[in-house]
Amino acid sequence: MISRFLIAIRPLLRNRAVVIGMIILTIVVLAAILAPLISPYAPNKLSIVNKLLPPSSEHWFGTDEFGRDILSRAIYAGRISLLVSLGVVILSTILGVILGVAAGFFPRLDTPISRLLDAMMSFPDILLAIALVAALGPSLVTVIIALGITYAPRLARIVRGSTLVLREMPYIEAAVTLGLPTRQLLLRHVLLNLASPILVQATFVFASAMLAEASLSFLGVGVSTDMPTWGTMLASGREYMNNAPWLMLFPGLAIVFSVLSLQLLGDGLRDLVDPRLTKER
């Protein structure tokens, strides 16, 4: 099984951009997992005497207006960002697959579901997310629910289109003719063939969710302010951007590199799933 996996990902490892993205993402994930072990200070430890210190050997990323270590807070903020993004991917994938398969496989459901998706996608993602968070109340769970609902139409569109193609395949028609139960037909023949496009789109949703979570936190409608997030760190650093630019520099770089790594990985997976895209470039 390991050899098959290595053979499958070998084309990805030949892509330098994908390798760079995988390395950056691995560093971010490991830092988040090992945060209690590698963080030099507690993320919320106050030290007014040491406030607004520039980067040094004692505080690699400097300190904020309350004397908290920026490096420690950035590491712990990665935990929140990855947790929210993972939850969004799981929720949006479940909703997107259910809606997409229902719309693509059952003609009677296609029109109402498609109109629902059109209505949801007519709103900008961030505005829809803000409205949902405002309705549900700001918290970690509600941010995941709001962003999961917001990005579900993206996956549903992809799944619907792929399901429409699969529905017309000869082996699907043969299975229907033989009387294979709909449940088994969907599980064995439809969902398994949808795994690749779902995986690719989920990677892009992961990156979008990470950026959206930072945006909500920056606007003050995200997770609780007691939790360190890259967005709240950027928001609090605005007042000191002229005198202490490191307050915004390092959280901003964390967002940029994390999102970039996911985008690079998603591009590589898309090229692997559909080699025609590579040939067209």
PDB file of all heavy atoms in Angstrom, residues 105 171-172 175-176 180-191:
ATOM      1  N   PHE A 105     -27.990  13.865  -9.493  1.00  0.00           N
ATOM      2  CA  PHE A 105     -28.486  12.503  -9.746  1.00  0.00           C
ATOM      3  C   PHE A 105     -30.008  12.422  -9.819  1.00  0.00           C
ATOM      4  O   PHE A 105     -30.544  11.552 -10.504  1.00  0.00           O
ATOM      5  CB  PHE A 105     -27.973  11.560  -8.655  1.00  0.00           C
ATOM      6  CG  PHE A 105     -28.035  10.112  -9.022  1.00  0.00           C
ATOM      7  CD1 PHE A 105     -27.040   9.534  -9.807  1.00  0.00           C
ATOM      8  CD2 PHE A 105     -29.089   9.319  -8.606  1.00  0.00           C
ATOM      9  CE1 PHE A 105     -27.102   8.209 -10.162  1.00  0.00           C
ATOM     10  CE2 PHE A 105     -29.150   7.984  -8.952  1.00  0.00           C
ATOM     11  CZ  PHE A 105     -28.155   7.420  -9.732  1.00  0.00           C
ATOM     12  N   TYR A 171     -21.806   2.378 -17.374  1.00  0.00           N
ATOM     13  CA  TYR A 171     -21.855   1.458 -16.236  1.00  0.00           C
ATOM     14  C   TYR A 171     -22.885   1.897 -15.205  1.00  0.00           C
ATOM     15  O   TYR A 171     -23.450   1.069 -14.480  1.00  0.00           O
ATOM     16  CB  TYR A 171     -20.471   1.300 -15.609  1.00  0.00           C
ATOM     17  CG  TYR A 171     -19.914   2.535 -14.939  1.00  0.00           C
ATOM     18  CD1 TYR A 171     -20.157   2.779 -13.594  1.00  0.00           C
ATOM     19  CD2 TYR A 171     -19.127   3.442 -15.638  1.00  0.00           C
ATOM     20  CE1 TYR A 171     -19.644   3.901 -12.974  1.00  0.00           C
ATOM     21  CE2 TYR A 171     -18.613   4.561 -15.026  1.00  0.00           C
ATOM     22  CZ  TYR A 171     -18.864   4.793 -13.700  1.00  0.00           C
ATOM     23  OH  TYR A 171     -18.354   5.908 -13.089  1.00  0.00           O
ATOM     24  N   ILE A 172     -23.155   3.206 -15.117  1.00  0.00           N
ATOM     25  CA  ILE A 172     -24.209   3.683 -14.216  1.00  0.00           C
ATOM     26  C   ILE A 172     -25.574   3.264 -14.757  1.00  0.00           C
ATOM     27  O   ILE A 172     -26.442   2.784 -14.017  1.00  0.00           O
ATOM     28  CB  ILE A 172     -24.142   5.207 -14.050  1.00  0.00           C
ATOM     29  CG1 ILE A 172     -22.827   5.622 -13.366  1.00  0.00           C
ATOM     30  CG2 ILE A 172     -25.339   5.711 -13.249  1.00  0.00           C
ATOM     31  CD1 ILE A 172     -22.716   5.203 -11.934  1.00  0.00           C
ATOM     32  N   ALA A 175     -26.050  -0.384 -14.140  1.00  0.00           N
ATOM     33  CA  ALA A 175     -26.359  -0.683 -12.744  1.00  0.00           C
ATOM     34  C   ALA A 175     -27.814  -0.355 -12.431  1.00  0.00           C
ATOM     35  O   ALA A 175     -28.478  -1.090 -11.690  1.00  0.00           O
ATOM     36  CB  ALA A 175     -25.424   0.107 -11.823  1.00  0.00           C
ATOM     37  N   VAL A 176     -28.313   0.754 -12.987  1.00  0.00           N
ATOM     38  CA  VAL A 176     -29.719   1.109 -12.780  1.00  0.00           C
ATOM     39  C   VAL A 176     -30.632   0.072 -13.420  1.00  0.00           C
ATOM     40  O   VAL A 176     -31.642  -0.341 -12.846  1.00  0.00           O
ATOM     41  CB  VAL A 176     -30.000   2.514 -13.354  1.00  0.00           C
ATOM     42  CG1 VAL A 176     -31.499   2.822 -13.277  1.00  0.00           C
ATOM     43  CG2 VAL A 176     -29.208   3.569 -12.601  1.00  0.00           C
ATOM     44  N   LEU A 180     -29.811  -2.174  -9.172  1.00  0.00           N
ATOM     45  CA  LEU A 180     -28.970  -1.929  -8.003  1.00  0.00           C
ATOM     46  C   LEU A 180     -29.605  -0.832  -7.158  1.00  0.00           C
ATOM     47  O   LEU A 180     -29.998   0.219  -7.686  1.00  0.00           O
ATOM     48  CB  LEU A 180     -27.569  -1.509  -8.443  1.00  0.00           C
ATOM     49  CG  LEU A 180     -26.521  -1.374  -7.335  1.00  0.00           C
ATOM     50  CD1 LEU A 180     -26.173  -2.741  -6.761  1.00  0.00           C
ATOM     51  CD2 LEU A 180     -25.259  -0.696  -7.872  1.00  0.00           C
ATOM     52  N   PRO A 181     -29.737  -1.049  -5.851  1.00  0.00           N
ATOM     53  CA  PRO A 181     -30.358  -0.020  -4.992  1.00  0.00           C
ATOM     54  C   PRO A 181     -29.641   1.318  -5.119  1.00  0.00           C
ATOM     55  O   PRO A 181     -28.419   1.379  -5.285  1.00  0.00           O
ATOM     56  CB  PRO A 181     -30.200  -0.612  -3.589  1.00  0.00           C
ATOM     57  CG  PRO A 181     -30.107  -2.088  -3.802  1.00  0.00           C
ATOM     58  CD  PRO A 181     -29.391  -2.265  -5.109  1.00  0.00           C
ATOM     59  N   THR A 182     -30.417   2.376  -5.035  1.00  0.00           N
ATOM     60  CA  THR A 182     -29.859   3.722  -5.208  1.00  0.00           C
ATOM     61  C   THR A 182     -28.747   4.011  -4.206  1.00  0.00           C
ATOM     62  O   THR A 182     -27.737   4.626  -4.550  1.00  0.00           O
ATOM     63  CB  THR A 182     -30.970   4.778  -5.058  1.00  0.00           C
ATOM     64  OG1 THR A 182     -32.010   4.502  -6.005  1.00  0.00           O
ATOM     65  CG2 THR A 182     -30.427   6.171  -5.298  1.00  0.00           C
ATOM     66  N   ARG A 183     -28.914   3.561  -2.986  1.00  0.00           N
ATOM     67  CA  ARG A 183     -27.899   3.814  -1.956  1.00  0.00           C
ATOM     68  C   ARG A 183     -26.563   3.188  -2.346  1.00  0.00           C
ATOM     69  O   ARG A 183     -25.513   3.837  -2.258  1.00  0.00           O
ATOM     70  CB  ARG A 183     -28.375   3.264  -0.622  1.00  0.00           C
ATOM     71  CG  ARG A 183     -27.399   3.472   0.518  1.00  0.00           C
ATOM     72  CD  ARG A 183     -27.962   2.903   1.811  1.00  0.00           C
ATOM     73  NE  ARG A 183     -27.016   3.066   2.904  1.00  0.00           N
ATOM     74  CZ  ARG A 183     -27.233   2.628   4.152  1.00  0.00           C
ATOM     75  NH1 ARG A 183     -28.389   2.039   4.444  1.00  0.00           N
ATOM     76  NH2 ARG A 183     -26.324   2.791   5.078  1.00  0.00           N
ATOM     77  N   GLN A 184     -26.604   1.928  -2.767  1.00  0.00           N
ATOM     78  CA  GLN A 184     -25.364   1.263  -3.169  1.00  0.00           C
ATOM     79  C   GLN A 184     -24.785   1.892  -4.431  1.00  0.00           C
ATOM     80  O   GLN A 184     -23.565   2.007  -4.577  1.00  0.00           O
ATOM     81  CB  GLN A 184     -25.621  -0.227  -3.398  1.00  0.00           C
ATOM     82  CG  GLN A 184     -26.024  -0.986  -2.146  1.00  0.00           C
ATOM     83  CD  GLN A 184     -26.184  -2.474  -2.402  1.00  0.00           C
ATOM     84  OE1 GLN A 184     -25.661  -3.001  -3.384  1.00  0.00           O
ATOM     85  NE2 GLN A 184     -26.915  -3.161  -1.527  1.00  0.00           N
ATOM     86  N   LEU A 185     -25.655   2.305  -5.318  1.00  0.00           N
ATOM     87  CA  LEU A 185     -25.200   2.929  -6.561  1.00  0.00           C
ATOM     88  C   LEU A 185     -24.435   4.220  -6.263  1.00  0.00           C
ATOM     89  O   LEU A 185     -23.368   4.481  -6.835  1.00  0.00           O
ATOM     90  CB  LEU A 185     -26.402   3.211  -7.460  1.00  0.00           C
ATOM     91  CG  LEU A 185     -26.114   3.892  -8.808  1.00  0.00           C
ATOM     92  CD1 LEU A 185     -25.244   2.999  -9.675  1.00  0.00           C
ATOM     93  CD2 LEU A 185     -27.415   4.218  -9.524  1.00  0.00           C
ATOM     94  N   LEU A 186     -24.988   5.026  -5.369  1.00  0.00           N
ATOM     95  CA  LEU A 186     -24.335   6.287  -5.032  1.00  0.00           C
ATOM     96  C   LEU A 186     -23.018   6.063  -4.299  1.00  0.00           C
ATOM     97  O   LEU A 186     -22.030   6.746  -4.560  1.00  0.00           O
ATOM     98  CB  LEU A 186     -25.273   7.150  -4.185  1.00  0.00           C
ATOM     99  CG  LEU A 186     -26.544   7.650  -4.874  1.00  0.00           C
ATOM    100  CD1 LEU A 186     -27.420   8.413  -3.892  1.00  0.00           C
ATOM    101  CD2 LEU A 186     -26.202   8.530  -6.065  1.00  0.00           C
ATOM    102  N   LEU A 187     -23.015   5.111  -3.374  1.00  0.00           N
ATOM    103  CA  LEU A 187     -21.811   4.874  -2.578  1.00  0.00           C
ATOM    104  C   LEU A 187     -20.699   4.224  -3.390  1.00  0.00           C
ATOM    105  O   LEU A 187     -19.533   4.621  -3.304  1.00  0.00           O
ATOM    106  CB  LEU A 187     -22.148   3.999  -1.357  1.00  0.00           C
ATOM    107  CG  LEU A 187     -23.032   4.642  -0.280  1.00  0.00           C
ATOM    108  CD1 LEU A 187     -23.372   3.638   0.811  1.00  0.00           C
ATOM    109  CD2 LEU A 187     -22.343   5.858   0.315  1.00  0.00           C
ATOM    110  N   ARG A 188     -21.041   3.220  -4.188  1.00  0.00           N
ATOM    111  CA  ARG A 188     -20.022   2.441  -4.891  1.00  0.00           C
ATOM    112  C   ARG A 188     -19.543   3.090  -6.185  1.00  0.00           C
ATOM    113  O   ARG A 188     -18.363   3.016  -6.519  1.00  0.00           O
ATOM    114  CB  ARG A 188     -20.569   1.037  -5.215  1.00  0.00           C
ATOM    115  CG  ARG A 188     -20.825   0.166  -3.996  1.00  0.00           C
ATOM    116  CD  ARG A 188     -21.311  -1.201  -4.441  1.00  0.00           C
ATOM    117  NE  ARG A 188     -21.590  -2.069  -3.283  1.00  0.00           N
ATOM    118  CZ  ARG A 188     -22.029  -3.330  -3.399  1.00  0.00           C
ATOM    119  NH1 ARG A 188     -22.224  -3.855  -4.605  1.00  0.00           N
ATOM    120  NH2 ARG A 188     -22.267  -4.046  -2.307  1.00  0.00           N
ATOM    121  N   HIS A 189     -20.445   3.710  -6.906  1.00  0.00           N
ATOM    122  CA  HIS A 189     -20.105   4.164  -8.255  1.00  0.00           C
ATOM    123  C   HIS A 189     -20.019   5.687  -8.401  1.00  0.00           C
ATOM    124  O   HIS A 189     -19.277   6.165  -9.266  1.00  0.00           O
ATOM    125  CB  HIS A 189     -21.129   3.617  -9.257  1.00  0.00           C
ATOM    126  CG  HIS A 189     -21.187   2.121  -9.299  1.00  0.00           C
ATOM    127  ND1 HIS A 189     -20.156   1.348  -9.796  1.00  0.00           N
ATOM    128  CD2 HIS A 189     -22.147   1.256  -8.899  1.00  0.00           C
ATOM    129  CE1 HIS A 189     -20.477   0.071  -9.700  1.00  0.00           C
ATOM    130  NE2 HIS A 189     -21.685  -0.014  -9.157  1.00  0.00           N
ATOM    131  N   VAL A 190     -20.772   6.413  -7.610  1.00  0.00           N
ATOM    132  CA  VAL A 190     -20.789   7.867  -7.772  1.00  0.00           C
ATOM    133  C   VAL A 190     -19.783   8.533  -6.827  1.00  0.00           C
ATOM    134  O   VAL A 190     -18.876   9.238  -7.260  1.00  0.00           O
ATOM    135  CB  VAL A 190     -22.201   8.438  -7.550  1.00  0.00           C
ATOM    136  CG1 VAL A 190     -22.181   9.958  -7.630  1.00  0.00           C
ATOM    137  CG2 VAL A 190     -23.165   7.866  -8.596  1.00  0.00           C
ATOM    138  N   LEU A 191     -19.926   8.303  -5.539  1.00  0.00           N
ATOM    139  CA  LEU A 191     -19.083   8.988  -4.570  1.00  0.00           C
ATOM    140  C   LEU A 191     -17.609   8.630  -4.719  1.00  0.00           C
ATOM    141  O   LEU A 191     -16.737   9.494  -4.556  1.00  0.00           O
ATOM    142  CB  LEU A 191     -19.557   8.670  -3.148  1.00  0.00           C
ATOM    143  CG  LEU A 191     -20.909   9.267  -2.750  1.00  0.00           C
ATOM    144  CD1 LEU A 191     -21.273   8.877  -1.331  1.00  0.00           C
ATOM    145  CD2 LEU A 191     -20.882  10.784  -2.888  1.00  0.00           C
TER     146      LEU A 191
END
